[in-house]
Amino acid sequence: MSRPLPPGTPVTLHAPQAGLPAGTAGVIVAAPQAGSVYEVDFAGQVVAVNRVHLKVMRLDLDPPPVHEDLRPYVQYACVMGSRAFGLSTDTSDTDLRGFYLPPARLHWGLGEVPPQLEFAAPGTEEVYWEARKFVLLALKANPNVLEVLASPQPVTVTPVAGALLNIRSAFLSRRIAQTYGEYVQAQFRRMEADRRTHGEVRPKHVMHLLRLLLSGAHALRTGEILVDVGEHRAALLAVKTGELTWAEADRWRAQLQRDFEHAAAHTGLPDRPDFAAVEAWLVDARRAALDW
């Protein structure tokens, strides 16, 4: 015997009932104490209906994806990766990152806008986060997104993006000490375990972890995100090529970690980012998208 349907369950009619056609939607307002007749509210008309004439409506359907080309709504694009870090070589690809703002008619409709757009072509990779996701990641001090906001090589900056760049300091807080420092420590522990188990590590990954420590310490000391680490280019590329051994790279890591922890202990950054300023920007951005 099937379990009784509780009040509040959305249903439709299998067959006409009390003058209502099949397919009419309603909500159960009373379940039977015995038997199988339910009281169902059909837009203000309450009808007693046998269970055999009711079909439970599915509410777990996935929303339809948006099929419109969203590239025109990219508000901010900048060069990232090795070319922005000052670590590029002749074989380096060009990575573009940024955010897009969907028009209100798509954002408010039944369709689901993608959390990020990705485009790829030979030698180029592009990733654009949806505006809300982008700022939420930045508020959490996500290193990748904070670096996008600080890129020294902007490519596309609309007025909406310009307004965000004007308040990018609102995203900086002591959370950097966690997101940068703890991530690097965890990754180095994992790589050390891999090295002992498999006898190898990924030098390029080691290089970028060291770069994050340099960038994070700079942010904690100065309140600015350091993207171009060209000052340390030779040493970092020596790590990438394996010229610097794992032991030497790990010693440098320990030195940078101490510097990072000192910067974290003495930082002048606030405990929390400025949520109010970022939310005000997002509301204004959504308003700007009304006419798109």
Side-chain angles (χ1 to χ4, degrees), residues 1 21 25 46 83 101 195:
M1 185 175 180
V46 178
R83 295 192 182 279
L101 181 68
R195 188 185 70 84

Side-chain angles (χ1 to χ4, degrees), residues 2 9 18 41 53 60 77-78 80 83 94 105 123 127-128 133-134 144 154 163 179 187-188 195 198 201 235:
S2 61
T9 301
D41 183 355
H53 300 307
D60 59 344
C78 65
M80 287 305 302
R83 295 192 182 279
T94 298
R105 57 186 170 79
V127 176
Y128 304 106
K133 180 176 182 180
F134 182 79
N144 292 330
T179 56
Q187 289 296 305
F188 260 91
R195 188 185 70 84
H198 305 292
V201 295

Side-chain angles (χ1 to χ4, degrees), residues 33-49:
Q33 297 299 318
S36 57
V37 176
Y38 291 80
E39 292 185 20
V40 184
D41 183 355
F42 295 98
Q45 180 181 351
V46 178
V47 179
V49 184

Side-chain angles (χ1 to χ4, degrees), residues 19-271:
L20 299 173
T24 302
V27 178
I28 291 175
V29 293
Q33 297 299 318
S36 57
V37 176
Y38 291 80
E39 292 185 20
V40 184
D41 183 355
F42 295 98
Q45 180 181 351
V46 178
V47 179
V49 184
N50 192 289
R51 174 68 178 86
V52 298
H53 300 307
L54 296 175
K55 179 180 180 181
V56 177
M57 292 176 61
R58 287 186 59 196
L59 296 181
D60 59 344
L61 298 176
D62 292 331
V66 170
H67 294 294
E68 182 172 334
D69 180 14
L70 297 174
R71 186 190 281 271
Y73 304 110
V74 170
Q75 305 297 308
Y76 177 62
C78 65
V79 175
M80 287 305 302
S82 60
R83 295 192 182 279
F85 300 146
L87 300 173
S88 61
T89 64
D90 293 340
T91 61
S92 294
D93 292 340
T94 298
D95 297 327
L96 298 179
R97 300 288 184 269
F99 73 89
Y100 84 100
L101 181 68
R105 57 186 170 79
L106 296 180
H107 178 67
W108 291 344
L110 291 177
E112 186 172 48
V113 297
Q116 66 186 49
L117 308 178
E118 298 183 13
F119 307 99
T124 304
E125 180 190 77
E126 302 177 58
V127 176
Y128 304 106
W129 290 274
E130 194 278 325
R132 181 175 180 273
K133 180 176 182 180
F134 182 79
V135 296
L136 285 175
L137 289 171
L139 286 168
K140 295 176 182 178
N142 179 287
N144 292 330
V145 177
L146 290 182
E147 289 175 347
V148 168
L149 285 167
S151 174
Q153 300 182 48
V155 176
T156 299
V157 182
T158 68
V160 167
L164 183 62
L165 294 180
N166 287 339
I167 63 164
R168 56 189 162 192
S169 61
F171 294 102
L172 302 184
S173 72
R174 294 174 184 264
R175 291 185 178 187
I176 289 174
Q178 295 176 315
T179 56
Y180 282 66
E182 293 181 3
Y183 172 75
V184 171
Q185 284 185 319
Q187 289 296 305
F188 260 91
R189 285 195 296 268
R190 182 176 301 173
M191 285 192 294
E192 174 63 20
D194 288 343
R195 188 185 70 84
R196 290 177 179 175
T197 303
H198 305 292
E200 60 181 20
V201 295
R202 291 179 294 161
K204 183 176 180 179
H205 189 42
V206 176
M207 177 191 73
H208 282 298
L209 291 174
L210 296 174
R211 182 189 61 78
L212 275 180
L213 285 177
L214 289 165
S215 177
H218 181 88
L220 291 166
R221 283 196 301 267
T222 68
E224 296 180 351
I225 298 296
L226 177 67
V227 178
D228 188 336
V229 291
E231 176 185 353
H232 305 279
R233 175 183 170 87
L236 288 169
L237 290 182
V239 173
K240 179 182 178 181
T241 60
E243 180 183 341
L244 213 63
T245 67
W246 166 259
E248 292 170 325
D250 193 41
R251 281 196 294 272
W252 189 18
R253 190 273 314 164
Q255 175 189 338
L256 293 177
Q257 192 77 47
R258 288 191 295 271
D259 181 58
F260 182 93
E261 291 170 358
H262 182 271
H266 297 84
T267 185
L269 291 177
D271 290 335

